[in-house]
Amino acid sequence: MTESPGPDHSAAPGITLVGGGPADTSALKAALSRAPRVVAADGGADACLAHGLRPAAVVGDMDSLSPAARSAFRDVLVPVAEQNSTDFAKALRHADADFVLAVGFLGGRIDHALAVFSHLAERGSGAPAVVLLSAEDCVCLAPRRLALDLAPGCRVSLWPLGRARLRSTGLRWPLDGLMLEPAGRVGTSNRATGPVTLRCDGPCLLIVPLDALDALASGLGIGAGFA
């Protein structure tokens, strides 16, 4: 990817947040086509530099920033010195956006990904939607109620971050009345039989394939905001 959309997308309601992990090209293209305004979380600035992107801001404690990225984006650095939160959390606190498509937070270090998931649970489902993208997946915190227009056979996985009671329609293996929990029953590798509805009482990750991003966004109420 060699052409940057540039920084002048202040009217766009969403942002593409770039992290310091592997920034898959297909995931990055999917995010940029829907949210062209870019923000980098610390070392994500180097991924922006590698892909020819100009972030509107680089947010973090700057401990992972290369000299090249620091120099290239010196006018948009937003240093946050405290060490009680991750760069992902810092960037979200400073993001003025109705939704976030985040690339570069999955597929790298497992401890970093787990910290991201924990922060999503801490934010709760009432906060602006954050969807994490990788080459394979879209991952978000499931809201209390969600309707998804999915094709039959589409993979639908649910991973509890605490105790979560689920109800569903449109899944090959219904979840009605099930209590999911990390050290107990989980809900991976389910399949849609058509449109899906979910009710989720408790913190739970929803995981669908990358090619279901538009259906997920529509269900989360952010599809109309795509550029």
Side-chain angles (χ1 to χ4, degrees):
M1 184 177 299
T2 58
E3 185 172 334
S4 168
D8 189 21
H9 295 286
S10 58
I15 63 169
T16 290
L17 178 61
V18 181
D24 175 75
T25 301
S26 59
L28 192 56
K29 285 182 177 178
L32 290 170
S33 67
R34 296 161 173 85
R37 185 160 52 110
V38 177
V39 172
D42 201 342
D46 284 281
C48 289
L49 196 61
H51 288 277
L53 301 173
R54 172 74 181 175
V58 179
V59 183
D61 58 18
M62 308 302 166
D63 65 347
S64 301
L65 205 61
S66 73
R70 187 183 296 274
S71 175
F73 306 131
R74 59 186 176 276
D75 58 325
V76 293
L77 298 180
V78 183
V80 183
E82 58 89 2
Q83 294 296 310
N84 295 320
S85 63
T86 64
D87 290 318
F88 176 74
K90 292 179 177 72
L92 290 185
R93 286 202 305 270
H94 286 78
D96 180 17
D98 293 338
F99 66 90
V100 175
L101 302 180
V103 181
F105 298 94
L106 303 173
R109 282 177 49 176
I110 295 297
D111 57 342
H112 286 175
L114 290 173
V116 166
F117 298 155
S118 292
H119 185 64
L120 291 183
E122 180 184 354
R123 278 166 55 88
S125 59
V130 176
V131 181
L132 307 166
L133 306 181
S134 71
E136 298 288 338
D137 295 313
C138 306
V139 184
C140 71
L141 187 71
R144 288 180 61 87
R145 289 178 175 81
L146 182 65
L148 297 172
D149 187 11
L150 298 176
C154 181
R155 171 172 50 88
V156 180
S157 290
L158 291 146
W159 184 266
L161 298 172
R163 288 171 62 87
R165 187 172 297 279
L166 278 293
R167 292 188 177 277
S168 69
T169 65
L171 290 177
R172 181 176 178 184
W173 295 283
L175 302 171
D176 283 11
L178 292 184
M179 180 70 76
L180 305 185
E181 51 189 319
R185 189 164 190 167
V186 297
T188 57
S189 299
N190 213 324
R191 296 282 171 177
T193 59
V196 170
T197 66
L198 295 171
R199 176 170 176 169
C200 183
D201 295 313
C204 193
L205 295 176
L206 170 65
I207 307 165
V208 296
L210 180 62
D211 61 12
L213 174 57
D214 285 337
L216 177 59
S218 180
L220 293 172
I222 63 176
F226 282 172

